Amino acid sequence: MKAVLCKAGQQLREQFDDSFPDRDRTSDGWVADARHVAGGKSDHIPLANSGTVRAIDIDRDVCGKAKPDLMPNIAEQIRLCAKAGDKRLAYIIFNGRIASPRMGWRWRKYSGVNPHNHHCHISFTSKGDTDSSFFNIPALGGKL
């Protein structure tokens, strides 16, 4: 079965691309590599029944070298979007921290092997499989 990125992941990635067309994509990704598959548990691994992948990684460098580091602010805006009720978002990992509904979308220390310093990881729920509606994230074209 061919892997396919969930509709919410496609939409969020498109918003990044539209807002930052010249961004670095070195650390971007969505489908699992061998390391993810060997670990056995990752939202980058396609679901067995549909091939759907429920995660994206977006390179931290959205502005280019020697420009401001905007990803901390963007990750915070994604967190706030989830906290405000966007049920497509499952969790966010960035810069050694994770936010999820488990702790009311508060940032907490992330203890996984990869601290996600070079990219922001965004995982989606099953609602994101078919919902490609626009994410209301100010840095990515949304309104305050």
Side-chain angles (χ1 to χ4, degrees):
M1 183 174 304
K2 184 176 176 172
V4 60
L5 181 58
C6 68
K7 297 290 185 184
Q10 292 176 38
Q11 175 61 40
L12 188 56
R13 183 179 59 195
E14 184 176 309
Q15 285 180 237
F16 269 98
D17 290 345
D18 289 348
S19 298
F20 303 98
D22 298 325
R23 68 185 182 83
D24 188 345
R25 290 170 173 78
T26 303
S27 296
D28 279 16
W30 62 278
V31 70
D33 59 13
R35 183 181 51 81
H36 284 101
V37 173
K41 185 178 180 193
S42 170
D43 289 335
H44 290 291
I45 299 172
L47 297 173
N49 62 339
S50 66
T52 302
V53 173
R54 292 185 177 152
I56 59 172
D57 293 334
I58 301 292
D59 193 287
R60 179 180 194 140
D61 183 11
V62 296
C63 291
K65 306 289 185 233
K67 300 261 175 118
D69 182 6
L70 298 180
M71 190 56 85
N73 186 42
I74 297 169
E76 175 65 7
Q77 289 180 22
I78 295 169
R79 183 191 73 83
L80 291 173
C81 180
K83 187 175 181 177
D86 194 319
K87 301 295 185 196
R88 296 172 293 169
L89 295 163
Y91 61 91
I92 306 151
I93 306 170
F94 177 64
N95 222 19
R97 301 183 306 162
I98 184 170
S100 71
R102 187 175 127 205
M103 301 282 288
W105 286 102
R106 289 189 315 250
W107 287 113
R108 61 190 187 278
K109 182 177 170 57
Y110 177 67
S111 58
V113 174
N114 182 343
H116 296 77
N117 292 330
H118 300 289
H119 66 272
C120 182
H121 171 96
I122 303 109
S123 278
F124 303 93
T125 68
S126 61
K127 292 184 187 306
D129 291 355
T130 57
D131 185 347
S132 63
S133 59
F134 193 81
F135 284 92
N136 189 21
I137 299 166
L140 303 177
K143 301 207 184 322
L144 290 173

